[in-house]
Amino acid sequence: MIKSQITLKQLEAFAFVVDTGTFRAAATALGTTQPNISSRTAALETALDVALLYRDAGSVRLMRRVGSSSF
């Protein structure tokens, strides 16, 4: 169940993070800041009530299975 409204900006940020592999690179590509991209992707995860990304020092990856916390 979706908890809150999902925006195109959230989906765009998520797509760029997955494509580039870092919040910083996604922010550069979208002409915004890293905290803005981080906030958008976190809001998307909150809206969907599921972890979509595995955050590691310096990189980001898709979760192997949506909602999974392990690799």
Side-chain angles (χ1 to χ4, degrees), residues 27-66:
T28 299
L30 291 171
T32 189
T33 64
Q34 179 274 324
N36 193 351
I37 296 298
S38 182
S39 175
R40 289 178 190 177
T41 56
L44 178 62
E45 290 177 313
T46 298
L48 296 172
D49 195 27
V50 67
L52 299 171
L53 299 170
Y54 176 78
R55 292 153 174 89
D56 195 6
S59 68
V60 180
R61 296 175 295 188
L62 276 174
M63 287 292 201
R64 194 175 270 183
R65 287 181 295 168
V66 173

